[in-house]
Amino acid sequence: MKNFVVKTTANAAALAVAIWLLQDITLTGTGTGRKVLTLILVALLFGLVNFIVKPVVKLLTLPLFVLTLGLITLIVNALMLKLTSSLAGAVDLSFHVEGFWTAVLGALIISVVSWAMHVALPDED
């Protein structure tokens, strides 16, 4: 359970940094509490997408991973961020990623911040 909380916290922090740095990744809300709740729900959705969809996409694009020496990971992460944005819109969460290149840059930021958060936070169960 503690591992789940740590991963969700890391995702939320990484998404918050991406929202703060990139103007085309938006999270809107009426107040701070509403924005924090939306951010946590988006982090949960992002974690769910990465848990369910990402392994399937990685398996289907395995030849591209070998051919590009893993650089396609950034594109797959960007697609997972765009999918999270679409699903958030479908469930009426006010999170949106505008454009593919914004998603690529956002995925890069999220990857770096998530890595740093996982290093800083303990994750044993």
Side-chain angles (χ1 to χ4, degrees), residues 6-22 24-26 39 42-43 45-47 49-50 54 73-74 76-85 95-97 101-119:
V6 168
K7 286 184 179 187
T8 302
T9 303
N11 277 341
L15 285 165
V17 170
I19 291 165
W20 179 61
L21 289 175
L22 301 173
D24 288 338
I25 298 179
T26 57
L39 183 63
V42 169
L45 186 61
F46 187 63
V49 165
N50 281 329
K54 190 174 182 179
T73 303
L74 188 58
V76 169
N77 288 343
L79 293 173
M80 297 304 107
L81 186 58
K82 285 293 287 180
L83 179 60
T84 301
S85 174
F95 173 76
H96 183 68
V97 177
W101 293 111
T102 301
V104 170
L105 191 54
L108 182 61
I109 292 168
I110 289 169
S111 295
V112 170
V113 174
S114 289
W115 171 80
M117 291 295 292
H118 285 294
V119 168

